[in-house]
Amino acid sequence: MKTFVGFNYHKTTKRFVAQYKDGQWDSGRMMRKSTVCLSEAACVIQYAQTCFEGLKAYRTKDGHIVCFRLDLNEQRLHDSCERMVIPPIPKEMFFEAVEKVVKANAKWMPSYESGGSLYLRPVVFGKDSVVGVKPAEEFEFRLFATPVGNYFADKVRPLVLRVSDVDRAAPRGTGHIKAGLNYAMSLYAITDAHEKGFDENLYLDPANRTYVEETGGANVLFITKDGTLVTPKSDSILPSITRRSIVTLAKDAGIHVEERRIAISELKDMKECGLCGTAAVISPVGKVKDTQEEYTFSMDDFDNTVLGGLRKKLLGIQHGDISDDHDWIIKVI
Ligand code: PLP
Ligand code: COI
């Protein structure tokens, strides 16, 4: 199996597809066809009625393929569906789709040695035609797989972020769910950030523009000078499964953890900074540029930082090298 550099879509062999019509989900089936045919007035096209998930299947040293805490992805997709007026995917169908897609695409799984993984993307969207603003009555659920490497670059290196001057999610809006519309809101800012040489945008709380929220695709972690792990608490950020897992691993290791609001001005007191998520794992941040200030973190020797140690532990559990004391791993093959 060749090595997959970066985080891109590669069409794999089969995907799981189910339809919702006349008030119920059908039982779904595996399909070779990777394209979707829609009405020009489909609710997803007109009014962005869609939400999704992101999870990975990992290869272990002894040749198995495993998933990580997929019950939490199922729960979050359920919450996203409810907020988007989409009928939630039956729990059993979600788990069946993951199992079938991993098994049908096992040949696409990057090797253990490559450090890559098979990224799974469940997505659900409104299909029937609307012109007036209202939710669809027919929906499609798809779960496809694509082999991936690192999210940010060909190798792990300290990222350079800028504080975004536009917001990603409104107060009391949809920042806490995984709706496509949140990512649409970030496309202008990410394009502009890349053009100006930044890797990502750091968003501030939309009500006050004072507190750190998250980036376009990951939550944020800090280590203070006295070794405390601090991570933002906010109703308008995505409840990252990776972040919740890191918090548990940090506590296991005796690290003091604070989940609270973090003012942007506090960044000058932080020793380490990292982004965390399924795609990002833990990616080190070397610099955050605000309009007046520039905050730097000593992340060059990432392996020897607290966040570097937590990344190693998390990947060790996910790839079966470290014992899974919390029963987070589900063996698929
Ligand atoms: N925040 C945003 C906006 C994301 O898109 C993601 C990715 O899913 C995360 C955080 C991290 O969440 P998780 O760790 O569950 O992948
Ligand atoms: C993930 O980490 O799974 C995500 O969905 C983030 C996305 C921006 C790739």
Side-chain angles (χ1 to χ4, degrees), residues 234-305:
S234 161
D235 291 339
S236 45
I237 65 172
L238 196 76
S240 160
I241 295 163
T242 314
R243 186 242 303 154
R244 285 179 268 166
S245 307
I246 296 287
V247 162
T248 302
L249 295 179
K251 287 179 180 168
D252 286 353
I255 296 171
H256 179 62
V257 175
E258 290 175 8
E259 297 182 73
R260 60 168 172 84
R261 295 210 292 188
I262 302 167
I264 183 76
S265 57
E266 278 189 66
L267 265 60
K268 63 181 182 321
D269 304 321
M270 302 297 179
K271 189 166 173 214
E272 298 181 19
C273 178
L275 304 184
C276 70
T278 299
V281 191
I282 298 184
S283 298
V285 173
K287 198 184 284 183
V288 175
K289 193 173 173 343
D290 199 355
T291 36
Q292 310 292 337
E293 301 279 339
E294 196 168 273
Y295 305 100
T296 52
F297 310 97
S298 41
M299 300 303 284
D300 286 335
D301 187 14
F302 184 42
D303 289 349
N304 290 317
T305 61

Side-chain angles (χ1 to χ4, degrees), residues 167-242:
D167 299 326
R168 171 181 183 272
R172 296 171 292 283
T174 52
H176 62 297
I177 58 159
K178 214 161 161 59
L181 62 92
N182 294 333
Y183 299 81
M185 292 297 283
S186 72
L187 294 178
Y188 174 84
I190 193 67
T191 305
D192 187 56
H194 286 164
E195 278 172 11
K196 295 191 165 109
F198 298 100
D199 293 298
E200 250 292 7
N201 290 292
L202 181 63
Y203 291 97
L204 298 183
D205 80 291
N208 307 297
R209 298 198 54 77
T210 302
Y211 302 101
V212 174
E213 290 264 277
E214 61 175 335
T215 66
N219 280 181
V220 193
L221 305 166
F222 298 99
I223 303 292
T224 63
K225 286 173 186 149
D226 65 2
T228 298
L229 187 153
V230 191
T231 185
K233 190 180 171 77
S234 161
D235 291 339
S236 45
I237 65 172
L238 196 76
S240 160
I241 295 163
T242 314

